[in-house]
Amino acid sequence: MSNIRIHNHCLSDVIYTVITRVLLVFLVVIVLYPIYYVVVASFSDPMYVNSGELLLWPKGFTLLGYKRVFANSSIWIGYANTILYAGAGTVIGLIATIMAGYALSRSDLPGRRVISLLLIFTMYFSGGMIPTYLVVKSLGLVNSRFYMIICSCLSCYNIIVTCSFMESNIPRDLQDAAEIDGCGNGRFFVSIVVPLSKAVIAVIALYIVVAYWNSYFSAMLYLTDTNKYPLQLVLRNILLVASSAIDSTSETDPTAAIQLQQAAQLIKYAAIVVSTVPIICAYPFAQKYFVKGVMIGAVKG
C-alpha cells in the first residue's frame, strides 16, 4: 500500500514538473518573440512585414533601415549624450542613494521617521510639471547638460529599497563590534556596508541606467539645443520627420507615400534595435545580483 502511495506521489510530482516547465516555456516564448520579431523585421523588406508574411526568418533581407538611421550624424551625438547622462547620473545617483539608504537604516538617526514619511509623501504627490519647470528655469538649468545628469539620479523608491536591504543585511551587532574596534561611521560605511551591499548596488544601478536610457520627456521639455539631445529624443525626431514626409507626399504622389511609409516602418524597427541592444547587453552582468536584490523584503523571518 505504501509503495502505491509513493508511486502516486512520484507520478504527481512528474506531472506537476512537466506542466510547470511547459507553461514556463510558453511564457518565455510570449515574452521573447516580440523582441525577436522586431529584430527580424528590422532586416526584412517592409512589404513582407506589412502583409503579415514575416514569422520566424527575415524575408527580403535589407540593411536600409540601419543605413538610414546611422546616416544621421545626430544618432552618434545622441549616443554620446546618453552615455554621458547615464554614466554621470548613475554614479551620482548611486552615491546619494546608498548614503541616504544607509542613514535611514540607522535606528539612531534623529528624525528618522519624519524623514521617511516626507520621502514617501513625495512618491505620491509632486509640484507638477509647470512649477517644476519654473524652478528649473529660475536655477538657470534650462538647456543644461547638468540638469539632464541630475534630473533622474535620485528616486525615493530606490532609497527605500536600499534602506530595507541594509536593515535586513547589516546587523546592529556588526556596527557595535566595529565601534569597539575604533571604526568610525565613515570607515564603517566604506569598508563594511558598501562591500556587503553589492546586490542592492547592482539593482539600483540597473534601475538608474534604464531610467536614463529610456528618458526623453525631460529632454523634450528642458533642452533646446539639438546637440544636447539624448538618443531617445533623436530617434523620436527621426520618426517624426519620416511621418511628416509621408503626410506631405500622400497628397501629391500616393505611390511614393506608400514607399515612404514602408521605409518609415523599417526605420522604426531599426531604431528600436539600435536603442535597445546596448541596455540588453548590460543586463546579464548585473543579473546574478539583480535576482537577489529584487527579492528584498519578499520573505520575513
Side-chain angles (χ1 to χ4, degrees), residues 43 117 148 153 179 240 250 258:
F43 292 102
L117 290 175
M148 293 305 302
C153 67
E179 290 179 355
L240 288 178
S250 59
I258 293 174

Side-chain angles (χ1 to χ4, degrees), residues 185-198:
N185 285 325
R187 186 174 180 182
F188 177 75
F189 174 77
V190 174
S191 302
I192 298 177
V193 174
V194 173
L196 293 177
S197 303
K198 290 181 180 179

